[in-house]
Amino acid sequence: MTTRRWSASRILAWSFLGLALLVTVFPFYWMLRTALTPARDLLTDNTGLWPHHATLINFRRVVGATSYAQNQAAGGSGAQLDFLLYLRNSIIYSTVIAVAQTLFCAMAGYAFARLTFRGRDLLFGVFVMALMIPPIFTLLPNFTLVKNLGWLGSFAGMVAPSVLMTPFAVFFLRQFFLNIPREVEEAATIDGAGRWLQFWRVVVPMSRGPLFTIGLITTVWAWKDYLWPLLVGPDPNTRVLTAGLGIFLQQSPNSSPDWTGLMAGSVLTVVPVAVLMVFFGRRLVESMNFTGIK
């Protein structure tokens, strides 16, 4: 039985990783700490690592489980967040984009990897160049298009710019499809399978890891998206959680923002994504390895 020697370089590496983890996690911890602090104690009890009078009142008043008088008594602004409605909208928004985008990007990536057609390399180069275009540049044209289609205030308008594909996802999946042995598809061709059947029956089952990775990354991105849903989905029936938090802050007095309520709403918004990463984070890391097919 061998023992691992702790050299100076190993100790330094682990110390650096520990410090990086602390810097990354501490803001989320402080957000939770602020959410558990009574609004009246926010300025007087701001030095300890844990509030002296921890309470769940901020979470209760954010989700509308308290009355206006109770909010005022707790030191809040009286603003409330229709959490369940906005949660439903965020789930619909993220799920539709993740599922549709993963599907269409997989088909596009497979076409660039396996099909031969005129202008394929040029078209793929245009896709790669699109990675260098900041999303803010496409905001106004997309908004104008959605407005002309009459989709403002609807889920169709919210998901329209992202539902088909993104350059990164197409590039990511193409690189994986290029590593799939062609012999597998040639064997399927001998059995009489066409390209469409090869894609669904052979390539997709072998690509579950990368497809899951793109789906998870897209879900997290869509869940935290703020500006586009705020512009296109102002109606409460289509408002997502991130936009709802902005509305919640605007309902607070300008002289005294409701930071404890805002942090409570932020914690509730982060929880679903954190649960996804905890349960599927390891599979996400494993699927980033392009060496070999299981």
Side-chain angles (χ1 to χ4, degrees), residues 146-167:
V146 169
K147 181 181 179 181
N148 292 336
L149 291 173
W151 288 352
L152 289 179
S154 67
F155 283 109
M158 293 171 63
V159 304
S162 307
V163 75
L164 291 179
M165 60 185 68
T166 59

Side-chain angles (χ1 to χ4, degrees), residues 64-293:
T66 57
S67 64
Y68 182 83
Q70 291 175 318
N71 293 342
Q72 293 292 327
S77 62
Q80 292 182 342
L81 185 69
D82 197 343
F83 181 78
L84 294 180
L85 176 61
Y86 298 163
L87 176 64
R88 184 208 67 177
N89 296 339
S90 292
I91 292 175
I92 295 175
Y93 178 71
S94 303
T95 302
V96 172
I97 290 179
V99 173
Q101 192 177 116
T102 302
L103 172 63
F104 292 123
C105 287
M107 292 191 289
Y110 182 74
F112 283 124
R114 287 292 191 262
L115 302 185
T116 301
F117 53 90
R118 181 178 298 179
R120 183 191 65 177
D121 295 337
L122 177 61
L123 183 59
F124 182 70
V126 173
F127 264 90
V128 175
M129 290 177 59
L131 290 171
M132 297 180 290
I133 301 178
I136 192 67
F137 287 176
T138 61
L139 184 67
L140 183 58
N142 286 335
F143 179 82
T144 303
L145 177 61
V146 169
K147 181 181 179 181
N148 292 336
L149 291 173
W151 288 352
L152 289 179
S154 67
F155 283 109
M158 293 171 63
V159 304
S162 307
V163 75
L164 291 179
M165 60 185 68
T166 59
F168 169 76
V170 173
F171 174 80
F172 180 90
L173 293 174
R174 173 187 177 271
Q175 298 306 110
F176 180 82
F177 293 148
L178 288 174
N179 288 324
I180 296 179
R182 290 181 179 270
E183 291 78 6
V184 178
E185 296 167 88
E186 292 173 357
T189 302
I190 295 175
D191 292 336
R195 280 294 185 185
W196 186 251
L197 195 59
Q198 291 175 27
F199 174 73
W200 283 109
R201 296 292 181 87
V202 178
V203 176
V204 170
M206 298 175 68
S207 310
R208 285 177 295 182
L211 292 175
F212 179 84
T213 299
I214 289 298
L216 186 57
I217 292 176
T218 306
T219 300
V220 175
W221 169 83
W223 187 270
K224 66 183 182 63
D225 194 15
Y226 171 73
L227 183 57
W228 179 253
L230 180 66
L231 292 175
V232 182
D235 189 270
N237 292 324
T238 58
R239 185 177 296 155
V240 297
L241 276 173
T242 51
L245 289 176
I247 301 299
F248 177 85
L249 183 60
Q250 294 175 9
Q251 294 174 354
S252 304
N254 294 330
S255 59
S256 179
D258 190 355
W259 294 118
T260 55
L262 182 63
M263 292 300 103
S266 300
V267 170
L268 295 176
T269 303
V270 170
V271 167
V273 177
V275 171
L276 281 178
M277 297 305 296
V278 167
F279 282 97
F280 301 112
R282 182 176 180 179
R283 186 173 180 180
L284 173 64
V285 174
E286 292 175 350
S287 63
M288 297 293 288
N289 185 6
F290 292 101
T291 59
I293 306 296

